[in-house]
Amino acid sequence: MHLSLWKQHFPAFACQNDKVLKQLMDTAALVSLPAGQQVFYPGKTCENYLLLLSGSVKAQIMSADGREVLLYHVRAGDSCVLTTSCLLGDNRYPAEGFTETDVSAFAIPAAVFHRCIEQSAFFREFVFHSFSKRLADVIKRMEALSFGSVDQKLAKALLASKSQTIQKTHHELALDMGSVREVVSRHLKRFESYGWLRLSRGSIVIVDADALKRVLVTVDEH
């Protein structure tokens, strides 16, 4: 049953006196996935409810012009909002997901998930609370991608790292922003010409964080 892992990563599950929940924990399979593996894709049937123990998965969609648009990350302690939605609505995946790092997770079969939703008040509350929180995060991200200038989005993405040196390529940064590499590269070079950044292969060094913070409160008129 991997009780020690449940206690370490999902302690609230381990301390419940709930026969149905215990059956879920007994049934859950421990799965390991390598970095870069596709977890789901548009049209795929959802067969398991996943609870991540370690690693990171990114969910993304392809825009009409072929851009990759990041929806959200699933990290340790999280569940996937698209997986939950597909299981609850008996739908297929509308997007794709890839492991960003090596991933370890509990995989709970769909039939067990549905039985627990019906019979366990604790599990039902856990699933809907997690789903609500994750959905709110996705909506906030979509709002951030839809509104605000490229300069503001770029400044926000750079400052979000909390580090002076950002180990990301222009493509990776564009994916985070829901933009394209060419646009991001052009704005990064402009920021560099202002003395705000220093660019090198695979990394970006923030030279003037205060200037980036000012961009966040300035409406781009160009």
Side-chain angles (χ1 to χ4, degrees):
M1 187 177 71
H2 308 291
L3 183 58
S4 61
L5 290 175
W6 282 104
K7 287 181 177 179
Q8 179 181 354
H9 298 281
F10 296 95
F13 278 69
C15 66
Q16 296 297 313
N17 184 21
D18 185 328
K19 184 182 297 185
V20 177
L21 189 67
K22 186 177 184 300
Q23 291 173 350
L24 177 146
M25 294 166 64
D26 288 339
T27 306
L30 182 62
V31 297
S32 298
L33 303 173
Q37 179 168 321
Q38 188 169 51
V39 183
F40 52 84
Y41 52 85
K44 184 181 187 298
T45 301
C46 183
E47 299 175 346
N48 293 286
Y49 181 68
L50 296 178
L51 295 173
L52 254 67
L53 305 180
S54 63
S56 176
V57 175
K58 65 177 179 180
Q60 63 185 33
I61 56 174
M62 297 296 292
S63 68
D65 59 0
R67 288 188 295 117
E68 297 174 343
V69 179
L70 178 69
L71 295 175
Y72 57 86
H73 298 279
V74 186
R75 297 190 172 95
D78 291 340
S79 59
C80 174
V81 66
L82 283 178
T83 297
T84 306
S85 175
C86 291
L87 285 170
L88 292 175
D90 194 24
N91 297 315
R92 296 175 183 268
Y93 281 102
E96 58 186 2
F98 293 89
T99 55
E100 297 183 291
T101 63
D102 291 348
V103 164
S104 177
F106 281 134
I108 300 162
V112 177
F113 170 86
H114 286 297
R115 183 170 69 247
C116 235
I117 281 284
E118 293 175 358
Q119 300 179 13
S120 171
F122 168 82
F123 185 68
R124 187 164 55 249
E125 182 178 346
F126 172 85
V127 168
F128 283 108
H129 176 76
S130 299
F131 180 72
S132 176
K133 181 180 182 303
R134 299 294 295 164
L135 183 59
D137 291 342
V138 173
I139 292 172
K140 287 179 182 177
R141 174 165 179 77
M142 292 301 100
E143 288 176 342
L145 293 176
S146 299
F147 302 102
S149 70
V150 174
D151 279 0
Q152 291 170 326
K153 293 176 186 176
L154 179 55
K156 184 175 183 179
L158 292 169
L159 292 170
S161 69
K162 308 296 184 184
S163 173
Q164 185 179 3
T165 301
I166 303 161
Q167 301 293 340
K168 284 188 176 183
T169 65
H170 294 192
H171 174 74
E172 290 170 333
L173 197 57
L175 179 58
D176 288 344
M177 294 169 54
S179 185
V180 294
R181 183 188 59 77
E182 292 80 6
V183 172
V184 170
S185 294
R186 187 163 61 247
H187 285 259
L188 283 171
K189 288 175 182 175
R190 184 159 55 82
F191 281 10
E192 184 179 40
S193 72
Y194 296 162
W196 299 351
L197 306 173
R198 187 167 64 252
L199 305 179
S200 59
R201 188 174 183 84
S203 68
I204 302 163
V205 177
I206 297 176
V207 177
D208 190 345
D210 289 338
L212 295 177
K213 291 174 183 176
R214 287 194 293 272
V215 171
L216 294 180
V217 296
T218 302
V219 177
D220 186 14
E221 299 176 346
H222 302 286

